[in-house]
Amino acid sequence: MDINASLSRLRKVLTFQREPSNFSLAAPADLYRPLNSNNREIRVLRIDSSQQNPLDIRCALENVSLNSGIAYKALSYEWSPPDVGIALGHVFINSQEVSTTPNLRLALKHLESGPFYWIDALCINQSDDEERGHQVRLMTDIYRNAAAVMVWLGLEEGDSKHGMDFLNEVGTFWQ
């Protein structure tokens, strides 16, 4: 396969869109316990393995310090527009339903239960400008301290498999 053709396909697969300026995820006001910024606290999410409804996703949030050495995985994904009528179930955090995008729900469905995850849309109180600003300043450390950084590009579509195959080849080469 021609390297230029592979790179062209890869660019198509890895096209990321910016978050629309009028887009926000609403969360219940009492969902988030305050973070201690002096202790470099973040929130991590754990997916519950005992799901009552297979379409729903139940999770819990915990406040932890980046200084604690806790193992977590960071998830990077495309923030897509809010629900557009796609029935994919609901996401509950600490027993409260939260708004998520269809793409994030799909990503959550593909994550294993048990480990801690840091996912910006869910672990940061998006309606608190001060907290959001502080957490954005910590993002370099959040990703650097993660045990793994995972990228969710969405479900396979069109010829996206070729781009993923190419990334696997590149990863094998670097190892």
Side-chain angles (χ1 to χ4, degrees):
M1 176 179 285
D2 177 9
I3 189 71
N4 289 330
S6 294
L7 287 173
S8 175
R9 286 190 191 111
L10 178 63
R11 281 188 210 100
K12 289 177 186 174
V13 172
L14 295 178
T15 301
F16 295 98
Q17 296 177 359
R18 295 187 60 126
E19 175 185 345
S21 59
N22 62 348
F23 172 53
S24 67
L25 293 174
D30 58 347
L31 177 65
Y32 296 105
R33 285 191 0 249
L35 294 171
N36 181 340
S37 58
N38 294 331
N39 197 23
R40 295 175 13 110
E41 279 191 347
I42 62 170
R43 290 184 195 89
V44 290
L45 180 117
R46 186 177 295 224
I47 300 170
D48 184 355
S49 60
S50 60
Q51 303 293 330
Q52 299 161 345
N53 178 340
L55 292 178
D56 292 342
I57 303 158
R58 297 195 176 273
C59 311
L61 279 176
E62 287 186 34
N63 291 15
V64 298
S65 172
L66 277 174
N67 302 330
S68 71
I70 187 169
Y72 64 91
K73 299 175 182 180
L75 177 69
S76 179
Y77 64 96
E78 177 192 5
W79 279 53
S80 54
D83 286 336
V84 286
I86 301 172
L88 296 172
H90 305 277
V91 175
F92 297 89
I93 299 178
N94 300 344
S95 300
Q96 297 182 53
E97 186 173 2
V98 296
S99 296
T100 61
T101 65
N103 192 47
L104 179 52
R105 280 197 305 281
L106 283 170
L108 289 168
K109 277 297 201 189
H110 285 83
L111 296 177
E112 61 183 304
S113 58
F116 286 112
Y117 295 97
W118 182 85
I119 304 169
D120 58 355
L122 301 175
C123 294
I124 298 173
N125 183 351
Q126 299 294 328
S127 62
D128 182 333
D129 291 339
E130 185 177 334
E131 176 183 308
R132 192 172 62 238
H134 182 263
Q135 293 290 289
V136 166
R137 288 189 295 279
L138 284 177
M139 278 181 149
T140 299
D141 289 336
I142 290 170
Y143 281 105
R144 182 180 295 136
N145 291 333
V149 176
M150 304 163 61
V151 177
W152 174 258
L153 298 176
L155 296 174
E156 186 175 317
E157 187 176 307
D159 62 356
S160 65
K161 182 180 182 326
H162 298 296
M164 297 312 297
D165 290 344
F166 177 73
L167 286 175
N168 285 329
E169 287 178 35
V170 170
T172 302
F173 173 76
W174 276 335
Q175 290 174 356

Coordinates of all heavy atoms in Angstrom, one line a residue, residues 6 10 16 24 34 63 65 109 113 146 166 172:
S6 N -2.1 5.8 2.5 CA -2.3 5.5 3.9 C -2.4 6.8 4.7 O -3.3 6.9 5.6 CB -1.2 4.6 4.5 OG -1.2 3.4 3.8
L10 N -5.6 8.1 6.8 CA -5.4 8.4 8.3 C -5.9 9.8 8.6 O -6.6 10.0 9.6 CB -3.9 8.3 8.7 CG -3.6 8.6 10.1 CD1 -4.3 7.6 11.0 CD2 -2.1 8.5 10.3
F16 N -10.7 15.7 13.8 CA -11.4 16.0 15.0 C -12.1 17.4 14.8 O -11.6 18.3 14.2 CB -10.4 16.2 16.2 CG -9.7 14.9 16.5 CD1 -8.4 14.7 16.0 CD2 -10.3 14.0 17.3 CE1 -7.8 13.5 16.3 CE2 -9.7 12.8 17.6 CZ -8.4 12.5 17.1
S24 N -23.1 22.5 25.7 CA -22.7 22.3 27.0 C -23.5 21.0 27.5 O -24.5 20.7 27.0 CB -23.1 23.4 27.9 OG -24.5 23.6 28.0
P34 N -16.8 19.5 45.9 CA -15.7 20.4 45.6 C -14.4 19.8 45.6 O -14.1 18.9 46.4 CB -15.8 21.5 46.7 CG -17.2 21.3 47.3 CD -17.6 19.9 47.1
N63 N -13.2 11.9 44.3 CA -12.1 13.0 44.3 C -10.8 12.3 44.7 O -10.8 11.6 45.7 CB -12.5 14.1 45.3 CG -13.7 14.9 44.8 OD1 -14.4 14.5 44.0 ND2 -13.8 16.0 45.5
S65 N -6.2 13.0 44.6 CA -5.1 13.9 44.3 C -4.2 13.3 43.3 O -3.9 12.1 43.3 CB -4.3 14.1 45.6 OG -3.2 14.9 45.3
K109 N -19.7 2.6 26.8 CA -20.2 1.2 26.6 C -19.0 0.2 26.3 O -19.0 -0.9 26.5 CB -21.2 1.1 25.6 CG -22.6 1.4 26.0 CD -23.0 0.4 27.0 CE -24.5 0.3 27.2 NZ -24.8 -0.5 28.4
S113 N -15.5 -2.2 33.1 CA -15.8 -1.8 34.5 C -14.6 -2.1 35.4 O -13.9 -3.0 35.1 CB -17.1 -2.4 35.0 OG -17.0 -3.8 34.9
A146 N -1.5 9.6 33.7 CA -2.4 8.5 33.4 C -1.6 7.3 33.1 O -0.6 7.3 32.5 CB -3.3 8.9 32.3
F166 N -3.3 1.1 9.8 CA -2.1 1.9 9.6 C -1.5 2.3 10.9 O -0.3 2.2 11.2 CB -2.4 3.1 8.7 CG -1.2 4.0 8.5 CD1 -0.1 3.6 7.7 CD2 -1.1 5.2 9.2 CE1 1.0 4.4 7.5 CE2 0.0 6.0 9.0 CZ 1.0 5.6 8.2
T172 N 3.6 -0.7 15.9 CA 4.5 -1.9 15.9 C 5.9 -1.5 15.5 O 6.9 -1.9 16.1 CB 4.0 -3.0 14.9 OG1 2.6 -3.3 15.3 CG2 4.8 -4.2 14.9

